[in-house]
Amino acid sequence: QVQLVESGGGLVQAGGSLRLSCAASGRIFRNYAMGWFRQAPGKEREFVVAINRDGRSTYDADSVKGRFTISRDSAKNTVYLQMNSLKPEDTAVYYCAARVGAAIGTTDAEYDYWGQGTQVTVSS
């Protein structure tokens, strides 16, 4: 079992930046690929970005390419989402997820554990 706790959400103006953190506890963090998803009001949850187990490979959704960066610190059992050049359409609840295994996943069904989410609101 893995417990995931997100933090770092908040209100920011368009063009600003935020860094989300996801602290993992429980089983060995390095055994999991990690991802971030988001869900805006009235919309389905969507993939944002993911990182593989050893941190050497990442994959971004087209909507965030060049603006969002995922990273992981195994010593701290934490994965980060650096969000720059934020837009109002980035407003959503952001979820951290863990996937058993090495490879990146891009769909909900590929992830085994989820955090409770953190709200990000971007004002225009």
Side-chain angles (χ1 to χ4, degrees):
Q1 190 78 4
V2 174
Q3 294 78 42
L4 303 173
V5 179
E6 301 98 333
S7 60
L11 174 64
V12 64
Q13 289 189 333
S17 298
L18 278 176
R19 188 177 80 156
L20 305 183
S21 299
C22 173
S25 61
R27 294 192 177 268
I28 300 173
F29 180 65
R30 64 176 180 268
N31 288 345
Y32 298 86
M34 303 295 295
W36 287 95
F37 290 73
R38 66 186 181 187
Q39 187 168 21
K43 295 187 177 181
E44 293 187 353
R45 188 160 57 188
E46 65 174 2
F47 169 77
V48 178
V49 63
I51 189 166
N52 72 341
R53 188 168 63 183
D54 65 13
R56 296 180 181 179
S57 180
T58 64
Y59 186 79
D60 307 338
D62 288 344
S63 59
V64 304
K65 279 189 187 298
R67 300 189 299 122
F68 289 13
T69 303
I70 188 172
S71 61
R72 64 191 297 162
D73 185 337
S74 293
K76 296 182 177 179
N77 286 357
T78 300
V79 63
Y80 303 98
L81 178 61
Q82 178 67 44
M83 305 186 294
N84 299 326
S85 301
L86 282 160
K87 305 175 181 180
E89 51 264 44
D90 294 318
T91 295
V93 177
Y94 282 72
Y95 297 91
C96 171
R99 179 174 188 265
V100 175
I104 286 171
T106 60
T107 65
D108 284 26
E110 294 176 281
Y111 286 82
D112 302 286
Y113 304 100
W114 294 83
Q116 82 290 348
T118 186
Q119 176 70 48
V120 172
T121 302
V122 184
S123 63
S124 57

